[in-house]
Amino acid sequence: MKILLVEDEIELAQSLRHILTQEGYHVTICHEGDTGLKLALECQYNLLILDWMLPQKSGLEICQYLRSHSDPIFASTPVLFLTAKDTLDDRVLGLDAGADDYLIKPFELRELLARVRALLRRFVSLKSKNQQNSHKLKVIDLELEIDNQIAYRNGRLIKLSEKEIKLLQFFSLHINELVTQEQIFEYLWSQEEAPSSNVVAAMVRLLRRKIETENEPILIHTLYGKGYWFGFCP
Ligand code: CA
């Protein structure tokens, strides 16, 4: 699970990163609002922890921008506010801006961790429910119609084989994560099918040819000796 923490108190940011990393989360920190918003729009995080008062752009402005952003991927990322503001008006303002939860400074680390877990649980169950209910899936800048085995990128229609759409479904579950050839192999093929060993590389090559044309940002990155990375920024 990936968390972006935007907090201008450098010591607090570093200690929170330390604690969250110990809990197994991948944490990116930055200290200014502009950079925070840029990062939030570049990578798909599972949770944003935003301090309210930040240089350049406030946590509130970041949240408002993401919620009004047309891309549902960014609009639905859960947001936890950290703030010293604790009047009723402030809380209402924060929740109206689209925050999912709110933590007043100073706070107990245990409480922060409990709220992070709760938000991530809610996010994961909502996401899998959406995916079950809909056979349409938005994955970064691709739109997938699973049943019809087609995808759209920048309005371009892409016809896909059953395995190719399944590979994209697999990548959609691991956006901005390193995945190994073995993981892909296990997801796409059964033991009985026993395809040749370089079948994953061949399948990725085929898919790339279809979804990445000239001038389009690369989505599938090869990390040599490690596996693949699906997303804009490896
Ligand atoms: Ca601050």
Side-chain angles (χ1 to χ4, degrees), residues 6-9 12 31 51-55 82-84 105:
V6 191
E7 167 60 76
D8 59 330
E9 289 174 51
L12 176 63
H31 310 296
D51 182 30
W52 186 311
M53 303 294 281
L54 290 166
L82 304 181
T83 178
K105 290 179 183 176

Side-chain angles (χ1 to χ4, degrees), residues 161-187:
S161 71
E162 196 184 329
K163 286 276 195 264
E164 287 165 346
I165 196 104
K166 208 169 166 197
L167 179 54
L168 276 176
Q169 274 182 290
F170 175 80
F171 280 135
S172 78
L173 298 169
H174 300 276
I175 293 173
N176 292 327
E177 275 177 32
L178 171 68
V179 293
T180 62
Q181 291 215 351
E182 291 74 30
Q183 284 174 287
I184 297 176
F185 187 93
E186 275 175 30
Y187 190 83

Side-chain angles (χ1 to χ4, degrees), residues 148-152 156-161 164 207 210:
N148 299 329
Q149 289 180 213
I150 53 176
Y152 291 93
R156 182 166 60 85
L157 170 74
I158 308 162
K159 291 186 182 163
L160 298 162
S161 71
E164 287 165 346
L207 183 59
K210 291 190 177 181

Side-chain angles (χ1 to χ4, degrees), residues 5-18 29-32 51 54-55 105:
L5 168 64
V6 191
E7 167 60 76
D8 59 330
E9 289 174 51
I10 292 174
E11 267 182 39
L12 176 63
Q14 281 168 350
S15 72
L16 291 181
R17 173 164 65 180
H18 181 69
I29 53 174
C30 72
H31 310 296
E32 302 97 26
D51 182 30
L54 290 166
K105 290 179 183 176

Side-chain angles (χ1 to χ4, degrees), residues 105-120:
K105 290 179 183 176
F107 48 81
E108 292 272 343
L109 287 173
R110 279 192 311 154
E111 188 176 4
L112 172 80
L113 291 176
R115 293 197 188 202
V116 164
R117 282 194 298 271
L119 281 173
L120 288 173

